[in-house]
Amino acid sequence: MAPSHSFIIFLFSLTLISTNGEFSQQSNIMLPSQQQITKEKLTHIHFYYHDIRDNKNPTIVQIIDTPQNVPNGFGSTFVMDDAMTEGPELSSKHIGRAQGLFGLSSLQDLGMFMLTNFVFKEGKYGGSSLSMLGRNHISEQNREMPIVGGTGVFRFARGFAIANSVNSISTPEHFVVEYNTPSGPYYKEQFGKNTHTKKPYLS
């Protein structure tokens, strides 16, 4: 006779119970523990990224076009892999890549959604990343967007970034944007029996 549905669920539950300890040890999921102590650090990051739109080596590519009768290019969507530099010139030191998606998402104005990972390759943040998700009103300056997470030293980061277009040196083929995180991001360092201790980048 075939086993009943309730009996199969019972066996599955026993399997979960018997393997729970092993799973907890092998997985990368951080489980709550009273032995963990969390400290928050505040850092300030300043950099530029470069939208290259020429036909030879573009760093942004349109993946969704929009009908001509739709205002403000609504629906147009792009992928990006922009160079991040210390200074406003593309020839200045490269510190990482700004990678993600953005698109025109407003019928009333030039408002974009931004889903961007700032991937740091050089310096003390090398190997870490910050994730930004928010609305970008590209016709304005001092555009505020939230930092919603990160990896590496920026694990559990939160805060905001301020974007400003560098119109004085930008061209239709090469658009430069300045980013500041003046009051963030906050990130957490965790100490305890089941965590790895990281040396703080800031005192």
Side-chain angles (χ1 to χ4, degrees):
M1 184 176 68
S4 66
H5 181 68
S6 58
F7 181 71
I8 293 174
I9 293 176
F10 174 72
L11 288 179
F12 181 68
S13 300
L14 286 179
T15 304
L16 287 179
I17 293 170
S18 64
T19 60
N20 182 59
E22 183 178 356
F23 172 79
S24 298
Q25 293 175 2
Q26 294 180 355
S27 71
N28 292 322
I29 299 171
M30 185 67 69
L31 299 177
S33 170
Q34 293 180 350
Q35 295 176 331
Q36 294 176 7
I37 302 173
T38 300
K39 294 176 64 179
E40 289 192 336
K41 295 290 183 180
L42 176 64
T43 187
H44 172 237
I45 300 175
H46 175 242
F47 61 88
Y48 298 80
Y49 78 54
H50 302 260
D51 280 339
I52 307 298
R53 306 175 185 230
D54 62 27
N55 293 325
K56 294 182 180 179
N57 297 294
T59 62
I60 66 169
V61 175
Q62 185 170 1
I63 57 173
I64 299 176
D65 204 351
T66 188
Q68 293 183 354
N69 61 341
V70 176
N72 298 312
F74 177 73
S76 298
T77 305
F78 303 80
V79 291
M80 62 186 288
D81 185 4
D82 288 351
M84 294 164 48
T85 59
E86 284 188 345
E89 297 82 15
L90 188 57
S91 59
S92 63
K93 183 179 179 180
H94 286 222
I95 60 171
R97 308 292 296 186
Q99 301 170 333
L101 281 170
F102 66 91
L104 293 162
S105 57
S106 176
L107 289 168
Q108 285 75 39
D109 53 34
L110 292 177
M112 297 195 309
F113 75 87
M114 297 285 294
L115 195 165
T116 308
N117 292 312
F118 299 120
V119 183
F120 296 91
K121 303 288 189 180
E122 300 289 339
K124 59 186 178 181
Y125 304 124
S128 300
S129 68
L130 284 171
S131 296
M132 182 182 73
L133 174 65
R135 185 179 191 272
N136 186 356
H137 198 305
I138 57 177
S139 63
E140 298 180 355
Q141 294 287 57
N142 296 313
R143 307 184 294 273
E144 181 178 324
M145 286 166 280
I147 300 294
V148 297
T151 63
V153 70
F154 295 122
R155 191 180 299 168
F156 305 117
R158 69 184 191 276
F160 66 94
I162 299 292
N164 282 289
S165 303
V166 188
N167 295 319
S168 59
I169 61 173
S170 292
T171 68
E173 293 79 27
H174 181 184
F175 193 69
V176 184
V177 184
E178 178 185 27
Y179 272 87
N180 269 287
T181 59
S183 296
Y186 286 95
Y187 63 94
K188 294 183 178 180
E189 288 183 333
Q190 295 188 335
F191 303 88
K193 181 179 178 181
N194 298 321
T195 60
H196 297 287
T197 302
K198 290 180 177 291
K199 181 180 179 181
Y201 281 112
L202 298 176
S203 58

